[in-house]
Amino acid sequence: MDSNHIRVAVADDHPVIRLGIEAALDDVPTIRRIGSARDSSELVTLLDAQPCQVLVTDYAMPGGRYGDGLNLLSFLAERYPALRIVVITAIDKPVLIRTLLAKGIQNLLSKADDIAHVAPAVQAAHVGRRYYSPAIAAIVQSLSGDKPITKLSPRESEVISLYVAGNSIMEIAKQLGRSKQTVSTQKVSAMAKLGIASDADLFKFASEVGLVPPPEIS
């Protein structure tokens, strides 16, 4: 491996954004892009074929065999433990940023920020330093001023997980041996703690943070 260059892979399902990332990286003499992928299937094929030190990946990148979001990040961490990851996302919800930070992702870029942040984020990831683009840094700063997040109780978490998996309140009550009113109250309480007001937002949140399980891979 060429020790004078950082070997980088790019993954994003949006061609224009992917080309922008590629151009930003190709302009830096110390970075060598080994290839790009449009989904998780192409990404794993690329990473299996060539040594890579840093990955720049979109958070939401549906359509691949290995999923996207938190599920893909967990898979990559297990399969390529030495790989450093820079996540770029259009999702600006504090709960997602908090979740990514808790998962150990320390290099985060917002698609709302200048693409020029990609190269310094890669360089920071390569040496084990954190890097946030301005929009992400503002969210992280706001989180640091928060009181510790109120976590869901085990029963609330159980109810929410079953609900976003497609079960009705009645079905959840039957599965858990609780009354319909109890399950409904636990769901409402959990949504209040998460700052979510509607079922539509609950399902969107569940998708963003990986509560909805990916389809099984045969």
Side-chain angles (χ1 to χ4, degrees), residues 23 30 33 39 70 76 91 129 138 166 182 185 198 200 205 207:
T30 57
R33 184 169 52 84
D39 58 32
L70 294 178
L76 294 173
I91 303 170
R129 290 190 292 107
T182 296
T185 298
S198 69
F205 163 80
S207 175

Side-chain angles (χ1 to χ4, degrees), residues 1-209:
M1 187 182 298
D2 186 351
S3 61
N4 294 323
H5 295 86
I6 306 171
R7 296 177 62 86
V8 181
V10 175
D12 198 297
D13 61 324
H14 298 91
V16 173
I17 295 176
R18 189 171 64 249
L19 288 171
I21 295 172
E22 292 171 351
L25 295 176
D26 291 346
D27 281 342
V28 182
T30 57
I31 292 175
R32 175 167 296 169
R33 184 169 52 84
I34 65 166
S36 298
R38 295 172 296 180
D39 58 32
S40 61
S41 298
E42 291 187 1
L43 175 59
V44 170
T45 297
L46 175 62
L47 294 176
D48 281 349
Q50 298 194 55
C52 181
Q53 295 165 298
V54 180
L55 166 66
V56 179
T57 183
D58 190 4
Y59 177 79
M61 191 172 55
R65 177 179 176 85
Y66 302 94
D68 67 346
L70 294 178
N71 295 306
L72 177 59
L73 293 173
S74 296
F75 174 84
L76 294 173
E78 182 176 350
R79 190 175 182 114
Y80 315 103
L83 181 67
R84 302 293 177 88
I85 299 177
V86 176
V87 172
I88 183 167
T89 181
I91 303 170
D92 60 358
K93 291 186 179 296
V95 66
L96 173 62
I97 303 306
R98 184 189 287 115
T99 301
L100 289 171
L101 294 176
K103 194 169 185 62
I105 302 297
Q106 294 295 314
N107 298 277
L108 293 166
L109 305 177
S110 170
K111 289 187 177 181
D113 289 323
D114 197 296
I115 201 69
H117 288 282
V118 171
V122 165
Q123 293 165 330
H126 181 243
V127 297
R129 290 190 292 107
R130 68 180 57 182
Y131 189 98
Y132 309 136
S133 66
I136 300 294
I139 295 173
V140 173
Q141 180 62 35
S142 71
L143 292 175
S144 68
D146 286 347
K147 296 178 180 179
I149 182 173
T150 304
K151 296 182 179 179
L152 304 184
S153 71
R155 291 193 172 190
E156 289 168 344
S157 180
E158 191 174 35
V159 167
I160 291 297
S161 295
L162 288 170
Y163 189 77
V164 299
N167 296 281
S168 69
I169 295 297
M170 182 67 74
E171 289 169 337
I172 296 171
K174 186 176 181 180
Q175 288 183 50
L176 300 180
R178 302 173 198 164
S179 71
K180 181 179 176 181
Q181 181 60 44
T182 296
V183 169
S184 180
T185 298
Q186 289 166 342
K187 173 178 173 286
V188 170
S189 175
M191 289 173 66
K193 290 181 180 180
L194 294 170
I196 294 173
S198 69
D199 281 359
D201 286 340
L202 177 61
F203 281 102
K204 185 176 180 181
F205 163 80
S207 175
E208 290 169 356
V209 303

